[in-house]
Amino acid sequence: MEDEKALEFRALTSQWKQQVTDFFEELKDAGDYKYFHPHPLTAKEAEIRCNYAGNDIYYISVEGKQILGYGMLRGWDEGYEIPSLGIVIHQSARGIGLGKTFIHFLHVIARRKGAKRIRVKVYTENVVALKLYEGIGYKFHAAEEGQKIGFFNL
Ligand SMILES: CC(C)(COP(=O)(O)OP(=O)(O)OC[C@H]1O[C@@H](n2cnc3c(N)ncnc32)[C@H](O)[C@@H]1OP(=O)(O)O)[C@@H](O)C(=O)NCCC(=O)NCCS
């Protein structure tokens, strides 16, 4: 029998369009767009990401049909060797290690795709994310427009 509450990481596909649209809406309502805005959090963008076919990576963390987190590795499409990682965890699923686990999962994908380093951009006042990345071993080198740039050697 299928486990309706199974915890999984899933590649985004069109079957998730409605859930992703709702998830983006909830992120906006919670004010998360302030720290997480790789693209607008609109229904149109949800559709684009769910139908995306390319070299970049868009994944969700789900519990059954419920989305708990959204993560990505981008830059390959634009020809960069070092992908940029972005991640957001739903407010209701924070503080239990999902963000850290998701990042390590994305690192495995990056290694499988031959990447040697990962880049992140984090707002200087986003202390939770900075602590998380630094705890994993990211080194932050410089700041531009209020954001720190960090790298992790895979
Ligand atoms: C940053 C974010 C992804 C963390 O997700 P999370 O699942 O809550 O994080 P985890 O439970 O895996 O915690 C990992 C580490 O983060 C830090 N952390 C998590 N919650 C924290 C809190 N409330 N206060 C301080 N540090 C915290 C800790 O270092 C923790 O490590 P520890 O458990 O060994 O102490 C989540 O807060 C989020 O989605 N924020 C909004 C979007 C964002 O800022 N994204 C990152 C920029 S791309």
Side-chain angles (χ1 to χ4, degrees):
M1 209 172 77
E2 198 178 324
D3 181 354
E4 288 177 5
K5 285 282 180 190
L7 192 64
E8 298 172 299
F9 290 112
R10 304 285 302 257
L12 264 193
T13 57
S14 55
Q15 77 178 93
W16 292 100
K17 194 183 113 189
Q18 191 54 52
Q19 286 93 332
V20 173
T21 302
D22 295 345
F23 182 74
F24 284 179
E25 203 56 43
E26 286 170 29
L27 292 181
K28 270 192 299 187
D29 289 348
D32 289 328
Y33 189 69
K34 182 178 172 211
Y35 291 143
F36 181 81
H37 44 71
H39 51 69
L41 299 175
T42 58
K44 185 161 175 271
E45 280 292 332
E47 182 166 9
I48 291 170
R49 304 299 141 180
C50 288
N51 289 291
Y52 169 81
N55 294 315
D56 294 341
I57 294 291
Y58 295 94
Y59 265 73
I60 44 177
S61 156
V62 300
E63 187 175 53
K65 293 264 176 290
Q66 195 192 344
I67 298 180
L68 303 184
Y70 172 52
M72 65 194 65
L73 290 167
R74 304 195 301 177
W76 285 301
D77 267 354
E78 290 179 70
Y80 294 110
E81 269 182 37
I82 305 174
S84 284
L85 185 149
I87 187 172
V88 64
I89 301 297
H90 193 275
Q91 303 254 355
S92 66
R94 288 187 189 168
I96 56 168
L98 182 58
K100 197 190 285 184
T101 305
F102 205 159
I103 290 169
H104 284 298
F105 178 79
L106 292 170
H107 286 177
V108 174
I109 296 179
R111 288 190 189 98
R112 296 288 291 166
K113 284 174 69 71
K116 300 281 179 273
R117 297 177 92 194
I118 302 279
R119 175 182 179 275
V120 289
K121 240 172 132 179
V122 185
Y123 282 95
T124 43
E125 73 266 24
N126 190 357
V127 288
V128 171
L130 284 171
K131 206 171 155 219
L132 166 57
Y133 287 120
E134 282 169 348
I136 288 170
Y138 279 78
K139 300 279 181 254
F140 288 87
H141 296 290
E144 62 180 46
E145 291 166 9
Q147 295 190 78
K148 287 187 174 183
I149 313 286
F151 289 95
F152 180 78
N153 291 325
L154 291 165

